[in-house]
Structures are given as structure tokens and as C-alpha cells.
Amino acid sequence: MYIKITSIDCSRHYIKQDQITTIMKDINNRCWIVIAQHSIEITAEQYWTLTGKLDEWYMNTEINEVVPFMEKIEELQLSVRTTKCLKNAEIRYLYQLLKMSETDILKKTKNFGRKSLNELKEVLKEKYNTKIGALKC
């Protein structure tokens, strides 16, 4: 059986499942898939899909700071309107926001406009020094 892998540079690879030697994270929190003597850097989402492991944190390597993946949206202390819009779009956790682009959020989230988006961007920047789409390939 072949699986589709998207590397960090967004190139796609089709790999036989039985050829995978290992799937791992390195000391810098980068995810890798190893096939024989070759390695491909993969996204955190691919790592989760292949291993079934969802880490509770994400290391923002730009500032060497930890971002808690599993923090609930309510804990971001957003306005009631913004929080409600995100919950109605079934966005419950921080990692879901980090995987989406601004356009995705605006399209998927009903009644979520530029003002809500700017509020969300500001909170992510102030609280975690990260941004929407930080995990998107």
C-alpha cells in the first residue's frame, strides 16, 4: 500500500508503507520520515497522521519558545463573538488555528470578519509570538 507524503518544501512523495524505516522528531522539533538511507522532512501534521501522536506542544524555533498545541480556544481570552464563531466552525484547539491560513478561517467561519481576524492575530502574536498558519505547508 502506498501513502502520500508531503515534505516540508511541499513536494509530494508516494512511498510504500513497508519501505519506511522510521518516523521521528529531532532535537529541533523537526519531523522526519526515513526510508532506507534517505530522509524526508515532513510537516507536523504528517507526523501526527503517520504516528497517531499529537504532541501537546509546538516549539516555535524562531524564538525558542513552546506553544501549547492543545490549548482550548476559550483560554486565548478572545472576545465572546470571536470565540463563538470559532466554536461554531468546530475550531476548538490552538493547533487547528495554526494549521489554517487566514483565508481558510475567513471562508470556513461564519460571521468571522477582518476585525475578529485582527483580534486573533494580535492575541497569537502577543501570547505566543506565533501566527495563523504557522504549521501550514
Side-chain angles (χ1 to χ4, degrees):
M1 178 178 158
Y2 285 89
I3 55 173
K4 183 171 86 173
I5 300 294
T6 304
S7 67
I8 202 76
D9 65 358
C10 294
S11 60
R12 293 204 168 98
H13 308 271
Y14 293 89
I15 301 166
K16 274 190 170 180
Q17 207 166 8
D18 60 348
Q19 291 179 327
I20 297 172
T21 306
T22 190
I23 302 164
M24 58 176 264
K25 276 189 164 186
D26 68 14
I27 195 165
N28 297 318
N29 202 39
R30 297 183 323 191
C31 305
W32 298 89
I33 187 167
V34 180
I35 304 136
Q37 295 135 349
H38 305 285
S39 60
I40 302 169
E41 187 174 1
I42 58 175
T43 62
E45 186 175 5
Q46 285 276 298
Y47 176 80
W48 301 333
T49 303
L50 294 168
T51 62
K53 295 178 185 173
L54 176 61
D55 290 342
E56 294 186 13
W57 55 272
Y58 155 69
M59 178 63 85
N60 186 338
T61 52
E62 292 174 14
I63 57 165
N64 216 20
E65 217 171 274
V66 173
V67 178
F69 265 147
M70 296 304 290
E71 182 162 346
K72 293 190 176 196
I73 295 301
E74 296 90 6
E75 295 170 17
L76 294 177
Q77 298 175 345
L78 298 164
S79 67
V80 174
R81 178 186 177 87
T82 303
T83 303
K84 217 171 192 180
C85 287
L86 292 170
K87 287 174 83 175
N88 288 339
E90 297 184 6
I91 299 170
R92 305 267 190 261
Y93 297 98
L94 179 59
Y95 79 89
Q96 292 173 297
L97 284 173
L98 297 177
K99 290 184 346 185
M100 299 174 80
S101 69
E102 291 180 19
T103 309
D104 293 338
I105 292 173
L106 289 171
K107 284 181 183 176
K108 181 180 179 177
T109 312
K110 187 178 177 183
N111 297 325
F112 194 90
R114 284 281 161 200
K115 191 173 180 182
S116 296
L117 182 65
N118 290 337
E119 175 193 2
L120 179 59
K121 286 168 40 177
E122 188 178 309
V123 167
L124 290 176
K125 180 74 174 160
E126 285 176 11
K127 197 167 182 182
Y128 300 115
N129 201 16
T130 192
K131 60 186 176 185
I132 297 167
L135 298 178
K136 191 165 179 78
C137 183

